[in-house]
Amino acid sequence: MNRFMLPLLAAVVMLASSCVSVKVPDGYARMSYTAQYDVKAVSTDGNIFTMREITNQDEKNGSLDYWATAMKNQFTLSRGYEFVQDGDFKSGKGPGRWQHYTHKFKGLEYVYIVGIVVDDDEIYVMEAGGEKDRFKNQEASVRKSFETLK
Amino acid sequence: MRGFPLLIPLLALISGCGMSAYDSSSQYYKGATEHAVASSADADEYFAGGLERRLEAKPAPAAERAAPNRPSDKAENPVAGENAQAFARKIVYTARFVVDVFDIEKSREEIVAWTESLGGYMHSQRAGTVVLKVPAEKFPEVLTQLRKAGRVNDDLTDIRAQDITQEFYDLELRLKTRKEYLASLSELLKQAGKLEEKLAVQREVANVLADIEQMEGKLRVMVHMVAFATVTVEFRPAYKGPTRTFKLPWDWLDRLGVEYLFN
């Protein structure tokens, strides 16, 4: 019995250490079907909040600054997003950077906020967005949710 | 002779009104190009004196004038050889372009300024669409100029050339005929004795004058249409970002954004 306990315990510890959680913004309800995301939630007026872990090998080689800049370049130089502003935040997984964009999608103006946290092993990306009129005044609440990542 | 006081102003009207119509036309067409008129006569000459000279020349049949270089079945072809230059084709050019630009107002101002520098003008403007009158000989340069402003949507480009040669020269001939008729009426009026005869001739003169004015008006419009191409340019906002030539090799970066959140 003792021969199996140690590996079993190690497996449990490993699973526990890779668990990540985030508190969704007020007014959002989690969805059971999350598609490509680890967490997905939607508000009553159709805004979306998500979180996902990026676990590819190469991601371990970049710093927070590197990935935040890469993300900004990809959005603005390749995808036509309009950069608005950015800032830093602290989370349970370490320091993070948030970025605020606007983007025209299907003829409508959208607001898009993305937060990225980089630790030794993983990259955590949290996103939130909605039509400009419906996403009004939600930026602060979304950034607060980013800080709850742990 | 009681009608005599009426005769003087009437004759003055007959002799004066034709010239004044030509004078106002020559002012109106200042700057019209050789393309718009026959042979080497410019617009002033066309309406001030050239027209008279040309109308005195023996006109070719309408078919000959429309295609002066085409062989004719007729034995005589008096015009095709000697006056072929005088019967240039009359083509009306119209075009519509849709151009994607970053600054609609600036692009519109620039194309209007360019048109005006060539002797053209802005005909109308609404939102991002402007209608220009470009001198016909400069028409081929329009597309080049628009490509400098932005991206011309070739699949939405529409260029048309309408040949109004036959209609134009037919109208000229009808006008000449009416003027000759008017001249014969003025002779008749001089010879008319009874008051009833004079009144009848005067009525006919009034009718013919109205016809002449209408035809001259139509001819002015046609000359203008040939002299200036009508170019409609619709400016649309261009996509501000660059094309997707920038891409980092991290696939997950490309799967971020509202396109995926709301897919």
Side-chain angles (χ1 to χ4, degrees):
Chain A
M1 187 76 170
N2 285 340
R3 279 192 305 172
F4 298 108
M5 279 301 287
L6 198 56
L8 191 62
L9 194 63
V12 168
V13 167
M14 277 173 65
L15 275 170
S17 66
S18 70
C19 271
V20 60
S21 69
V22 68
K23 190 169 173 296
V24 301
D26 291 336
Y28 284 67
R30 281 184 190 246
M31 297 173 67
S32 54
Y33 176 66
T34 59
Q36 61 184 319
Y37 306 102
D38 293 298
V39 171
K40 187 169 181 179
V42 63
S43 72
T44 51
D45 43 11
N47 300 316
I48 305 255
F49 176 90
T50 66
M51 185 277 287
R52 69 172 121 177
E53 257 180 273
I54 311 295
T55 54
N56 296 340
Q57 189 64 32
D58 289 332
E59 277 67 28
K60 294 182 192 222
N61 300 329
S63 64
L64 174 62
D65 281 336
Y66 175 87
W67 292 116
T69 306
M71 211 162 59
K72 185 177 174 183
N73 285 344
Q74 189 80 355
F75 277 125
T76 55
L77 298 178
S78 178
R79 306 270 296 274
Y81 279 59
E82 297 267 350
F83 174 76
V84 178
Q85 58 177 334
D86 62 0
D88 295 319
F89 66 93
K90 286 193 174 93
S91 75
K93 287 286 187 185
R97 183 84 43 83
W98 60 265
Q99 295 170 347
H100 178 163
Y101 299 89
T102 57
H103 182 59
K104 209 151 197 170
F105 176 58
K106 291 186 179 177
L108 297 169
E109 189 83 358
Y110 275 73
V111 172
Y112 174 72
I113 313 234
V114 58
I116 184 166
V117 174
V118 179
D119 71 8
D120 293 335
D121 297 314
E122 320 291 350
I123 297 175
Y124 305 94
V125 180
M126 292 161 286
E127 304 171 81
E131 280 181 52
K132 191 178 169 188
D133 290 337
R134 292 208 278 264
F135 201 81
K136 253 190 306 206
N137 306 321
Q138 293 200 14
E139 290 92 333
S141 166
V142 162
R143 293 207 303 269
K144 218 170 166 57
S145 283
F146 289 174
E147 293 168 5
T148 66
L149 181 77
K150 62 175 181 180
Chain B
M1 288 309 286
R2 278 189 297 172
F4 182 76
L6 288 174
L7 183 62
I8 296 169
L10 182 62
L11 285 175
L13 189 67
I14 292 167
S15 61
C17 71
M19 283 304 295
S20 68
Y22 288 136
D23 283 343
S24 65
S25 299
S26 70
Q27 285 291 329
Y28 182 68
Y29 286 110
K30 188 177 178 183
T33 65
E34 285 184 11
H35 182 87
V37 298
S39 75
S40 60
D42 63 16
D44 290 339
E45 191 185 353
Y46 186 91
F47 278 101
L51 175 59
E52 292 290 353
R53 288 204 300 277
R54 289 185 52 252
L55 289 176
E56 283 166 13
K58 182 180 174 185
E64 291 291 327
R65 281 184 273 119
N69 296 324
R70 204 160 58 198
S72 169
D73 290 335
K74 297 193 178 202
E76 286 186 336
N77 193 357
V79 176
E82 36 180 27
N83 285 344
Q85 193 68 4
F87 295 99
R89 298 190 77 83
K90 306 295 182 189
I91 310 291
V92 176
Y93 292 103
T94 54
R96 183 181 174 84
F97 300 97
V98 178
V99 188
D100 296 339
V101 295
F102 291 117
D103 189 331
I104 291 177
E105 200 174 318
K106 182 167 171 264
S107 299
R108 199 177 51 218
E109 284 170 5
E110 282 174 356
I111 199 69
V112 169
W114 176 80
T115 303
E116 287 173 349
S117 72
L118 300 173
Y121 60 95
M122 182 186 73
H123 178 264
S124 64
Q125 176 183 301
R126 187 165 180 260
T129 301
V130 62
V131 180
L132 306 164
K133 293 289 189 180
V134 178
E137 79 276 15
K138 297 294 182 185
F139 180 64
E141 295 176 33
V142 170
L143 187 55
T144 309
Q145 191 63 25
L146 288 174
R147 288 202 196 282
K148 288 180 192 172
R151 190 181 80 88
V152 177
N153 288 273
D154 291 325
D155 51 339
L156 298 176
T157 293
D158 184 19
I159 299 176
R160 292 169 195 232
Q162 184 191 0
D163 192 335
I164 60 167
T165 309
Q166 182 165 350
E167 193 186 337
F168 184 90
Y169 289 119
D170 282 350
L171 183 60
E172 267 195 347
L173 184 60
R174 287 194 350 251
L175 181 63
K176 174 180 182 277
T177 308
R178 291 311 263 170
K179 285 179 186 290
E180 286 168 354
Y181 181 46
L182 183 69
S184 66
L185 281 177
S186 73
E187 284 300 315
L188 199 63
L189 195 60
K190 287 179 199 170
Q191 295 161 17
K194 296 179 184 173
L195 180 60
E196 294 81 16
E197 287 174 3
K198 283 181 183 162
L199 287 175
V201 174
Q202 283 167 6
R203 268 196 298 274
E204 184 60 8
V205 163
N207 289 335
V208 172
L209 279 173
D211 286 347
I212 288 172
E213 272 188 29
Q214 192 184 44
M215 282 189 265
E216 282 181 341
K218 200 170 172 190
L219 206 61
R220 272 197 290 273
V221 169
M222 290 169 93
V223 169
H224 187 266
M225 281 166 65
V226 170
F228 292 92
T230 303
V231 177
T232 302
V233 183
E234 182 190 337
F235 289 108
R236 296 195 307 198
Y239 167 59
K240 277 191 179 160
T243 54
R244 293 177 64 114
T245 54
F246 176 89
K247 193 178 181 322
L248 290 170
W250 320 112
D251 286 342
W252 63 270
L253 280 174
D254 232 4
R255 291 196 297 273
L256 301 176
V258 294
E259 294 89 342
Y260 292 91
L261 286 182
F262 294 93
N263 186 358

